[in-house]
Amino acid sequence: MSVGHIFFAYGWPGAMHIGTLLIGLGYGAHWAIVPATASELFGLKKFGALYNFLTLANPAGSLVFSGLIASSIYDREAENQAHGSMFNPDHVLRCQGSICYFLTSLIMSGFCLIAAALSMILVQRTKLVYTNLYGKTRS
């Protein structure tokens, strides 16, 4: 997903298609793995409540990142472009080019890298639990 956001940030030709593919694969893998992982780590007793909490995290993250972070960065870039251009009779801030979402995409890429690092920490911390449950593995 991090690489997909990098493709979005730089706006290379065809980057939207590749970035969308990579981010879609990442989200698909996430939603396939998270319920199974949550049920194995926390049990099935309160799985319904836990799953609802996990499902609520996606729109909450969208609110924070899209509604607050991305919109403020976009508005700042649009104001920078408006100061350098001629008078806009509609007084509508518009941003043109890949610079509009460059910083937002880099921030999202950074958060994806942090999430990947935290996932690797979780893998290391639960390795003993899975070894005890399923026996010794080759790796």
Side-chain angles (χ1 to χ4, degrees):
M1 288 179 68
S2 180
V3 173
H5 284 291
I6 294 291
F7 272 94
F8 282 163
Y10 286 102
W12 296 314
M16 184 67 72
H17 302 294
I18 296 169
T20 302
L21 174 72
L22 293 173
I23 292 172
L25 288 172
Y27 273 122
H30 168 78
W31 284 111
I33 293 171
V34 165
T37 304
S39 68
E40 286 186 3
L41 291 177
F42 301 107
L44 294 174
K45 186 174 183 182
K46 299 203 183 228
F47 178 72
L50 180 64
Y51 185 74
N52 285 332
F53 179 75
L54 290 171
T55 304
L56 187 62
N58 193 19
S62 293
L63 173 68
V64 171
F65 293 120
S66 298
L68 302 175
I69 296 173
S71 64
S72 63
I73 293 171
Y74 179 89
D75 288 344
R76 188 187 72 212
E77 290 296 333
E79 286 175 4
N80 289 343
Q81 286 185 7
H83 291 302
S85 65
M86 300 198 53
F87 177 72
N88 184 357
D90 297 334
H91 298 293
V92 177
L93 289 176
R94 290 191 182 112
C95 189
Q96 296 178 350
S98 63
I99 191 69
C100 303
Y101 290 105
F102 178 77
L103 184 58
T104 302
S105 295
L106 289 182
I107 290 170
M108 292 302 295
S109 180
F111 277 121
C112 288
L113 289 174
I114 291 169
L118 291 174
S119 295
M120 292 298 114
I121 291 170
L122 180 66
V123 166
Q124 289 300 318
R125 292 190 66 172
T126 58
K127 190 179 265 189
L128 181 63
V129 173
Y130 286 115
T131 302
N132 289 337
L133 284 174
Y134 302 114
K136 184 127 177 112
T137 61
R138 292 182 186 181
S139 58

